[in-house]
Amino acid sequence: MLPTLNGRIQTRLLALGTIGFIVALVITPVLPTGSQPLGQTYRVTLSVLLATVLIGVLWELLYHFLQQFRWEKDWPTLFGFVTIVNEGALMWFLVHSTTLVLPRDLHPSPVAFLIQFIVTWMVFWLIVNGPMRLVFHRWRLQGGRFL
């Protein structure tokens, strides 16, 4: 069974929320942030993660709309991987061009943002497309829903 819209949203919220949180806890101390205190660095990385999770729900609505034009009503796995480009670009814009995610004095450096976003996305994508299917073997049969 193909993941439903509800299932994709639940998967994104649960998996990116938990996996992203763990990744942020691990990589934040080693990010190149200059003289920024560790507490402030955690605030930045967790704020970017939260914004990514929330904006991701809007992405899922757009992806669902676009999938209606495809015969299978689903994306190939590679399309799911390549979405890192458009989602990363939007998050970069929201983080650096607006104060919606962070105040102006807390913007991460481009390198720190790229490291956090790419590492989080890669770990998330690999786990959702690999081990999660083994651990939650009924997840796929329930349209990607957890609840």
Side-chain angles (χ1 to χ4, degrees):
M1 175 174 206
L2 296 174
T4 62
L5 175 62
N6 188 17
R8 286 194 313 273
I9 290 172
Q10 286 182 24
T11 299
R12 184 181 285 257
L13 290 173
L14 181 68
L16 189 56
T18 56
I19 295 165
F21 182 73
I22 292 168
V23 169
L25 288 178
V26 172
I27 69 168
T28 297
V30 297
L31 288 176
T33 58
S35 62
Q36 193 174 41
L38 186 59
Q40 220 171 19
T41 305
Y42 270 113
R43 180 177 174 204
V44 170
T45 57
L46 294 176
S47 296
V48 170
L49 175 65
L50 178 62
T52 303
V53 170
L54 296 177
I55 297 296
V57 173
L58 298 176
W59 276 115
E60 288 299 339
L61 296 173
L62 176 63
Y63 296 152
H64 181 74
F65 172 75
L66 294 173
Q67 286 174 355
Q68 301 313 303
F69 298 105
R70 291 187 45 85
W71 178 266
E72 312 84 23
K73 307 282 190 249
D74 195 17
W75 296 125
T77 305
L78 180 62
F79 280 22
F81 180 71
V82 173
T83 60
I84 187 174
V85 175
N86 56 321
E87 293 191 26
L90 177 64
M91 285 312 304
W92 175 257
F93 172 77
L94 291 176
V95 166
H96 281 277
S97 300
T98 68
T99 56
L100 294 173
V101 179
L102 291 166
R104 294 240 183 255
D105 60 334
L106 287 179
H107 289 177
S109 70
V111 174
F113 175 84
L114 281 174
I115 291 171
Q116 179 198 2
F117 198 85
I118 291 171
V119 169
T120 302
W121 190 262
M122 296 287 287
V123 171
F124 166 76
W125 188 82
L126 288 171
I127 289 177
V128 166
N129 288 294
M132 195 170 96
R133 293 179 183 208
L134 294 172
V135 175
F136 299 105
H137 57 279
R138 295 201 181 270
W139 166 79
R140 192 175 132 255
L141 301 174
Q142 296 171 346
R145 294 184 316 272
F146 286 97
L147 303 176

